[in-house]
Each structure stands twice: as C-alpha cells, then as structure tokens.
Amino acid sequence: MAKRLFPRSIRARLTTVATLAAAVVFTITAAITLATAPVNLRGAVQTRLELAVRRVAGELQSGEFHTVLRTPSRVQLLQVVSARGNVVATSPGVSEIPTLMRFRADQPEKIYTTELTLSRHLTEPEAHYLVMAMKVSSPIGVTTVYGAASLTDVDKALKWVEVLMFLGIPLILLSVAGVAWAVVGAALRPVERVRAELAEITGQDLTRRVPVPDTGDEITDLATTTNHTLDRLERTVETQRRFVADASHELRSPISALRTQLEVASAYPDDTDWRATGEQALAAADRLAGIIDELLMLARLDAGAFSERRVVDLVRVAEDQIRRRAGGRVPIVADLCASAPVYGSPMQLDRLLTNLLDNAARHAATRIDLEVAVAGDKVIVTVTDDGDGIPPQDRERVFERFTRLAPARAKDKGGSGLGLALSRDIAAAHDGTLNLADHSPGARFVAVFPVPEHS
C-alpha cells in the first residue's frame, strides 16, 4: 500500500498546506533579501564616498585647494597625496595617517574601489572600510584623491538580516502552523458536533436534529441542509410505517374473507355451492391482485423507478379508455383536442386515467365528462362526475394512501383507497400535478402536465 504524502485529517492537511505555502513565501523572500541587501547597503556607502572623492577632485582641478578637507557625514577619511607620496591635504584630525599608497589609481579621472582593514588611528581602528582612489591633474601637479568609509554598520546590518532569516523564519513557520491548527480546529468544531449528533441518530428515533451554528457560513448551510434531510427522512419513514400498517390492514380483510369462505366450504362440502364459492374466491383474489399491483407501482414510484419513457399522446390514451368503457353504467362525454403530447411512461399515464375514470364511474349519477386540452405549454386533463362530490375539508385527504371516505365505503366495499394516491404520485413523477377543482354537483379532478420542449 502506497504511503500517503499528506495526513488523513482535514485539519492536519490544511495546517500542512498553510505551513508549506508560508515556507515557500518566506524562503523566496529570504533569498531575495540576502541577494539584494548587501548590494543595496554597500551601494549607499559607495555612492556617498564617490560623491565626496569627486568633490575633492573637482576642487583640486579648479584651484580651490585646502589642506584640511571638509569630510561629509559617514565618510571617515579624505586624503590628497602628491605624486611623490606626500599628504598635501587630509580630513581634520587625521593628518598623521600614513598614505594609502598600497592602493593605487593608475588611470586619471577613473574611480578605483577596494575594501581594506585600516589602522588604529581612525575613529574605528582595525575596521572594515570601503576605499576609493582617483588620480587627477591639478595646479599643484598630479595628485591622487583617497577616500575611506566604514562598512561596520553594513556588516552589522547584514549579520542581523542573516540572524533574522535563519532564526526568525522557523519561528514564524511554527507560529503559522500553530495559528492554522487552531483556526482550522475552531472552524471544524461545529462539523464534529454535527458528526457526533448524526452518529447518535438511529432509525428508531428520527426526531433529533444536529446543532446549527450561528456563523452564517458553509457549515451553517451544511447543518441546515442536514436537518432538512432528516425532516424528509422522518416523514418518509413515518409514511412507510403507516403504509405498511395500512397495507397489512387492507390485505388482511380479503385474505380473511377468502380463508373464511374456504374453511366453511371445507367444513360442509356437501352443502357448499362450489361454483359460487369459486366465484367469490376469484373475486377476493382479484381484489388482492389489484391491491398488490397498486402497492408495487407505489413502491416503484417511491424508489424513482420508471418504465420506458417516450412522448405519449394523451388524446390517444383517452380514446382507448373510452373504447374499453363503452356500454358502462354511465356514459363518458369526451371533449378532446387534436393532440396532447406528454413525455412519460405510457403504462403509468394510462393507469392514472384509469384510476380517475374508475373513481368517477363509482360516484357518477348520469354522466362522466372527460376533457383533454392544451393551454400554452401545459396539457390539462379534466375528469368530472355528477355524483355527491367531496367536501372541501376532505379534498386533500382523499389523496392520502388507504383513505376512503364514508360515502365511498358505502358505495364500493371492494376499493383499496390507493387509486387517487397512486394517480397523484404518477402526476408528480411526470413533473405534473393532480388536484380537485371546485365543481357542483359532483367532483372535478384536474391533472396538469408540461408539454415536451421538442414536441
């Protein structure tokens, strides 16, 4: 197994990255500083000394000659030496200093530069100096102008720079690592609280929620989204529990009835009308099969599983429904447009219309109105009956699974209470809606679907 270059912990990784980035920045800065600081510091001393030497040379050439030379600040020595080696002019107080003849200027009007350690007679004995020499012609003959400026301050400054670089950078990097570790730890502390709370939440207790920090950052959004997810999960689990309980109850009734019929027939075989008993058993089995089919389709919809999807013309689906229901108890009065394309599953859309028409057929008194129309980018399917209608307070409850109102139970004892719930789920799976609209007498169901973009 390959070794990891970085630790697993986000806190450690971010601290490492921050420290490495700081190390790169400070290393580059230190390299630039160490490369440029000596040149800049010595350049300032050299410029000052060169100006002083050229000033004295200019005075000699113009005849403005003084035996005591005016020495500018931070220039320790100025000398004028004749061709014979005699000091003809020097800085105040250092007339006894021997000449700097060991450093010679060969060509006239040219500055020569070197670094020397000068004698004890200067203000900084045995110190490091920058020395310049320039040969000039003057009224008193050929002379050489010498100048010396101490490099002690420069050397001290460079030593301090080196100390700061080689000792200060490691200390700064340690500080960066410590600050990064503390800051990242503080930032991730709410995440750890969220993780700890999530670890305590189980399927038996979904009422707990993770703490939401008031920082207003991405961690707050994460905690809020997590709580919303837990809300949906709690609702889903509760719906599944009710669904299982209701399904068990609905399946128990036909199974119990079928079992009772068969037990009675088996106990009294000679007195049993086996033909009637078989028909009743088949009816109970059909009801069980219908409930199971609806449960399976609801389960597939809940899981997001869809059959093959394509563009379906709901007008053709409605026409097929009308043909299959010809000669029924109540007639279907159709008002269909030329074409109503919807992108979806043909089987599920046919099931939705089947459920709506079955519901209308159970409650209609004299007729069922079926309308399919296109309005803008919407396909609208309306199924209306002229029955007793649904009270306003129950118009949402009828779409709940296994919900059957008292009038429905009285008219049809074999219903399961799944048809309208399944129809609404099918509509939602096709990006549509299914609702009850105001209508009297009877009930009006309105399903709305989007028209496909490339239809």
Side-chain angles (χ1 to χ4, degrees), residues 34 261 314 440:
L34 292 175
Q261 293 170 4
L314 285 184
S440 181

Side-chain angles (χ1 to χ4, degrees), residues 149-443:
S150 175
L151 293 174
T152 301
D153 291 341
V154 173
D155 295 338
K156 289 180 180 179
L158 292 177
K159 287 181 180 179
W160 275 108
V161 169
E162 292 175 355
V163 169
L164 289 176
M165 292 299 173
F166 292 107
L167 295 181
I169 289 179
L171 293 177
I172 293 174
L173 292 180
L174 288 176
S175 301
V176 169
V179 171
W181 181 267
V183 171
V184 175
L188 293 178
R189 197 168 294 120
V191 177
E192 174 59 24
R193 289 197 292 267
V194 170
R195 186 207 62 78
E197 186 65 25
L198 281 176
E200 297 293 329
I201 296 176
T202 63
Q204 285 71 36
D205 182 14
L206 292 174
T207 59
R208 299 174 63 172
R209 296 294 181 267
V210 301
V212 179
D214 58 357
T215 53
D217 54 11
E218 291 82 355
I219 298 178
T220 300
D221 297 337
L222 172 64
T224 303
T225 303
T226 300
N227 284 336
H228 289 165
T229 302
L230 290 173
D231 290 340
R232 293 194 298 270
L233 180 61
E234 182 182 11
R235 289 194 298 268
T236 300
V237 171
E238 183 61 29
T239 300
Q240 289 178 344
R241 289 172 178 170
R242 291 200 307 267
F243 180 79
V244 171
D246 293 340
S248 301
H249 175 74
E250 291 295 329
L251 290 173
R252 185 182 297 113
S253 296
I255 291 175
S256 299
L258 178 60
R259 182 181 180 86
T260 300
Q261 293 170 4
L262 295 177
E263 286 178 346
V264 171
S266 297
Y268 305 98
D270 295 335
D271 299 332
T272 299
D273 184 351
W274 287 102
R275 182 182 181 85
T277 301
E279 291 176 352
Q280 292 173 357
L282 285 174
D286 288 341
R287 184 186 175 197
L288 282 172
I291 293 175
I292 292 171
D293 287 343
E294 290 179 332
L295 290 175
L296 289 175
M297 183 169 287
L298 283 169
R300 285 196 294 268
L301 289 173
D302 289 340
F306 303 107
S307 56
E308 180 185 358
R309 288 195 162 201
R310 57 183 174 82
V311 176
V312 181
D313 190 348
L314 285 184
V315 172
R316 307 287 86 81
V317 177
E319 290 173 347
D320 291 341
Q321 288 282 344
I322 294 170
R323 281 194 296 269
R324 293 201 300 265
R325 295 172 184 272
R329 184 180 68 85
V330 289
I332 298 177
V333 179
D335 181 8
L336 309 179
C337 63
S339 177
V342 171
Y343 183 76
S345 166
M347 181 186 71
Q348 292 178 2
L349 292 172
D350 181 74
R351 185 58 178 269
L352 179 146
L353 201 52
T354 297
N355 290 343
L356 293 181
L357 291 173
D358 285 347
N359 180 77
R362 283 195 294 270
H363 299 282
T366 60
R367 61 182 283 175
I368 299 172
D369 291 292
L370 172 59
E371 179 184 359
V372 179
V374 177
D377 59 349
K378 303 293 183 183
V379 172
I380 303 174
V381 179
T382 305
V383 177
T384 308
D385 65 72
D386 58 352
D388 297 330
I390 299 175
Q393 66 271 18
D394 294 325
R395 288 182 179 176
E396 281 300 312
R397 198 162 68 88
V398 295
F399 291 106
E400 297 177 1
R401 297 175 182 183
F402 298 107
T403 296
R404 300 184 69 208
L405 303 181
R409 291 184 180 273
K411 287 186 177 183
D412 182 9
K413 298 183 182 299
S416 64
L418 292 172
L420 293 179
L422 178 59
S423 298
R424 173 169 276 190
D425 285 352
I426 292 174
H430 290 76
D431 299 323
T433 59
L434 175 61
N435 294 290
L436 269 166
D438 292 331
H439 184 264
S440 181

Side-chain angles (χ1 to χ4, degrees), residues 136-157:
V136 296
S137 298
S138 66
I140 63 174
V142 176
T143 58
T144 302
V145 180
Y146 289 95
S150 175
L151 293 174
T152 301
D153 291 341
V154 173
D155 295 338
K156 289 180 180 179

Side-chain angles (χ1 to χ4, degrees), residues 71-195:
T71 306
S73 174
R74 298 196 179 186
V75 174
Q76 280 71 32
L77 172 64
L78 288 174
Q79 276 187 350
V80 179
V81 180
S82 67
R84 296 181 178 181
N86 298 322
V87 177
V88 297
T90 187
S91 299
V94 290
S95 57
E96 72 278 9
I97 297 299
T99 62
L100 301 175
M101 292 299 292
R102 54 179 169 162
F103 173 52
R104 305 181 64 86
D106 296 327
Q107 298 181 15
E109 308 296 331
K110 182 178 179 181
I111 292 286
Y112 289 84
T113 305
T114 189
E115 294 182 13
L116 298 174
T117 300
L118 298 183
S119 65
R120 57 185 178 84
H121 296 283
L122 292 177
T123 56
E124 297 183 18
E126 302 297 329
H128 187 202
Y129 284 85
L130 177 68
V131 179
M132 286 187 179
M134 181 178 180
K135 182 182 289 187
V136 296
S137 298
S138 66
I140 63 174
V142 176
T143 58
T144 302
V145 180
Y146 289 95
S150 175
L151 293 174
T152 301
D153 291 341
V154 173
D155 295 338
K156 289 180 180 179
L158 292 177
K159 287 181 180 179
W160 275 108
V161 169
E162 292 175 355
V163 169
L164 289 176
M165 292 299 173
F166 292 107
L167 295 181
I169 289 179
L171 293 177
I172 293 174
L173 292 180
L174 288 176
S175 301
V176 169
V179 171
W181 181 267
V183 171
V184 175
L188 293 178
R189 197 168 294 120
V191 177
E192 174 59 24
R193 289 197 292 267
V194 170
R195 186 207 62 78

Side-chain angles (χ1 to χ4, degrees), residues 1-8 12-13 16-17 20:
M1 182 177 179
K3 294 183 178 179
R4 295 175 60 90
L5 296 178
F6 288 94
R8 294 181 180 274
R13 288 204 301 268
T16 302
V17 170
L20 289 176

